């Protein structure tokens, strides 16, 4: 039976990601009154502004303390919110930087070379037991902690308490805080070891507390689960997580494709279809791409990370399994392409467009404008995720534009200007 997973953030070195919240349905659906309510809700004071930290803490203890309340209270004594955590939460590079810039920075020749040198550190047993290729595990290791060198030095308890108090992801953050405190109470790790990213991710594989308790395993056979100091433990645990998420053994994660001039861009990032469906619509594999029989039968999606002018991908199920680590297209592509490089596969044929990054004001403003126009982005949070892209496709279609769902700085400025 598969264990329910909660997303894991990136390491402090690459600005960890809080899981993207569940998004709404198709972008066409918001009625004017509902859209206005969404836009209005976005400017209301947050719990961080109107509730004291002590008040939140007592509420947390009442909700989650149970039999461990006294022990939890001791660990939370003397804590104060960490302002840097709130700042970092609002500036995650996977959603603010152009995907191409993020991927090119992550998938460097140096990183690929370092990954090849470290393949021998990935336990062969991880691939044999869980079916996850070692190059994927090494790519995650590189991206999450620079091969264990940068694991983050934030107090995980303080970081999660800050995020819970802030309220933007309160339920998630409180659950993770409860799990982190339980790690201490159970004696699995001392408080001093619970250092990690601003988002609460820990160790060389950057596991969130709940996944550490449920999925971390002993990879080096010493009888101790130590994802901080043992690469084998960290990588075996990462393989276990991906396997529990549904990793497709023997299959890849994506293929670069070329789209015909008359391609219906509204189909991108939509319902998953077998390869025959996309081939009938003129989608062509880039040179070197040859899906196996099993891959051709899988439901796959067309992804346009930088819109109609950038590279296009056929995303297989394992692409979405990688996103169980971090729910970002940019992150999953960086992992997959780093793994491809480590395995000696060819790089991209198409070039990434050179675009300006989106400011937080532009991202929030575009989401408010979409909501006000009747296209529900699924939340006003400054995170350009799948809900925002769906909403943007609907708005683009309604305005006679190519519905590729790609938010550029210029398009954000236009949306904001039209709302005024």
């Amino acid at each position: 039976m598969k264990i329910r997973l909660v997303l894991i953030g990136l390491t402090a070195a690459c600005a960890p990601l809080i899981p993207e919240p569940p998004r709404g349905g198709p972008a066409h659906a918001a009625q004017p009154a509902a859209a206005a309510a969404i836009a209005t809700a976005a400017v209301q004071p947050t719990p961080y502004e109107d509730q004291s930290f002590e008040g939140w803490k007592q509420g947390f203890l009442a909700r989650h303390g149970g039999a461990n309340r006294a022990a939890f209270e001791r660990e939370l004594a003397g804590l104060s919110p960490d302002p840097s955590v709130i700042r970092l939460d609002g500036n995650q590079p996977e959603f603010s930087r152009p995907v191409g810039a993020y991927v090119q920075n992550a998938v460097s020749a140096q990183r690929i070379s370092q990954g090849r040198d470290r393949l021998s550190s990935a336990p062969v047993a991880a691939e044999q037991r869980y079916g996850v290729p070692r190059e994927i595990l090494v790519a995650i290791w590189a991206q999450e902690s620079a091969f264990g060198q940068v694991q983050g030095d934030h107090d995980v308890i303080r970081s999660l308490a800050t995020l819970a108090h802030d309220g933007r992801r309160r339920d998630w953050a409180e659950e993770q805080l409860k799990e982190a405190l339980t790690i201490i109470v159970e004696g699995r790790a001392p408080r001093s070891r619970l250092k990690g990213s601003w988002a609460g991710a820990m160790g060389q594989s950057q596991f969130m507390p709940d996944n550490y308790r449920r999925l971390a395993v002993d990879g080096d056979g010493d009888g101790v689960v130590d994802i901080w100091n043992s690469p084998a433990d960290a990588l075996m645990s990462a393989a276990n997580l991906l396997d529990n998420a549904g990793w497709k053994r023997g299959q890849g994660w994506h293929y670069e494709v070329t789209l015909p001039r008359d391609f219906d861009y509204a189909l991108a990032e939509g319902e998953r279809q077998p390869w025959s469906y996309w081939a009938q619509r003129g989608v062509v594999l880039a040179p070197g791409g040859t899906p196996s029989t099993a891959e051709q039968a899988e439901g796959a999606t067309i992804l346009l990370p930088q819109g109609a002018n950038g590279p296009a991908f056929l995303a297989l199920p394992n692409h979405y399994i990688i996103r169980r680590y971090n729910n970002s297209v940019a992150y999953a592509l960086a992992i997959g392409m780093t793994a491809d490089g480590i395995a000696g596969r060819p790089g991209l044929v198409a070039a990434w467009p050179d675009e300006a990054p989106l400011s937080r004001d532009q991202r929030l403003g575009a989401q408010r404008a979409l909501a006000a126009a009747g296209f529900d982005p699924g939340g006003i949070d400054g995170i350009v995720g799948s809900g925002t892209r769906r909403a943007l496709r609907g708005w683009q279609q309604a305005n006679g534009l190519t519905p590729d769902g790609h938010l550029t700085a210029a398009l954000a400025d236009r949306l904001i200007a039209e709302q005024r």
Side-chain angles (χ1 to χ4, degrees), residues 80-167:
S80 61
D82 184 346
S84 69
V85 168
I86 302 304
R87 175 177 55 81
L88 289 165
D89 183 31
N91 292 279
Q92 299 170 41
E94 298 86 354
F95 296 99
S96 58
R97 293 173 61 188
V99 172
Y102 178 92
V103 170
Q104 289 175 94
N105 180 67
V107 189
S108 65
Q110 180 182 22
R111 176 165 285 181
I112 289 171
S113 176
Q114 292 172 335
R116 287 174 180 162
D117 291 342
R118 287 166 172 79
L119 263 181
S120 60
S121 297
V124 174
E127 187 166 351
Q128 293 174 337
R129 184 181 304 173
Y130 301 115
V132 182
R134 288 191 298 159
E135 58 265 28
I136 283 285
L137 299 176
V138 171
I140 289 173
W141 189 23
Q143 186 71 4
E144 293 295 342
S145 67
F147 307 107
Q149 298 176 61
V150 186
Q151 300 183 34
D153 58 3
H154 286 265
D155 174 8
V156 166
I157 300 299
R158 188 185 184 198
S159 293
L160 292 170
T162 299
L163 291 167
H165 175 219
D166 175 62

Side-chain angles (χ1 to χ4, degrees), residues 122-320:
V124 174
E127 187 166 351
Q128 293 174 337
R129 184 181 304 173
Y130 301 115
V132 182
R134 288 191 298 159
E135 58 265 28
I136 283 285
L137 299 176
V138 171
I140 289 173
W141 189 23
Q143 186 71 4
E144 293 295 342
S145 67
F147 307 107
Q149 298 176 61
V150 186
Q151 300 183 34
D153 58 3
H154 286 265
D155 174 8
V156 166
I157 300 299
R158 188 185 184 198
S159 293
L160 292 170
T162 299
L163 291 167
H165 175 219
D166 175 62
R168 189 169 74 85
R169 308 285 172 84
R170 173 162 291 177
D171 290 345
W172 172 84
E174 287 196 351
E175 183 62 28
Q176 292 299 326
L177 178 58
K178 176 185 175 182
E179 296 281 352
L181 291 167
T182 303
I183 290 171
I184 299 169
V185 172
E186 292 177 341
R188 298 193 182 200
R191 172 72 177 272
S192 60
R193 183 178 291 176
L194 298 191
K195 301 291 184 182
S197 75
W198 63 263
M202 308 179 299
Q204 298 191 35
S205 50
Q206 291 290 277
F207 262 36
M208 293 305 296
D210 70 326
N211 284 329
Y212 174 78
R213 291 191 65 229
R214 296 177 176 89
L215 298 171
V217 295
D218 176 14
D220 56 19
D222 66 356
V224 178
V225 178
D226 185 357
I227 63 173
W228 294 269
N229 299 301
S230 169
D233 287 7
L235 298 180
M236 187 73 86
S237 297
N240 189 29
L241 185 152
L242 293 173
D243 176 57
N244 272 273
W247 185 266
K248 299 280 188 176
R249 185 184 288 262
Q251 296 187 25
W253 34 93
H254 60 247
Y255 288 96
E256 186 181 5
V257 295
T258 301
L259 306 179
R261 289 186 178 182
D262 61 350
F263 182 74
D264 181 1
Y265 285 91
L267 296 174
E269 209 171 354
E271 186 175 350
R272 301 180 196 184
Q273 302 287 354
W275 168 242
S276 59
Y277 175 92
W278 298 114
Q280 290 169 5
R281 282 152 183 78
V283 177
V284 177
L285 292 161
T290 308
S292 66
T293 301
E295 290 171 340
Q296 290 184 42
E298 295 284 359
T301 306
I302 298 297
L303 295 182
L304 305 169
Q306 269 191 257
N309 295 321
F313 298 89
L314 181 75
L316 295 166
N318 283 341
H319 166 90
Y320 293 94

Side-chain angles (χ1 to χ4, degrees), residues 21-86:
R23 299 291 180 166
H28 66 272
Q31 297 297 321
I38 292 169
T40 300
V43 298
Q44 297 301 313
T46 67
Y48 184 75
E49 296 171 307
D50 60 21
Q51 183 184 34
S52 72
F53 186 76
E54 183 63 27
W56 162 79
K57 185 173 74 172
Q58 293 305 317
F60 168 79
L61 291 169
R63 288 188 292 275
H64 300 287
N68 292 324
R69 177 166 181 157
F72 286 8
E73 191 161 16
R74 283 195 300 272
E75 297 298 333
L76 295 175
L79 277 187
S80 61
D82 184 346
S84 69
V85 168
I86 302 304

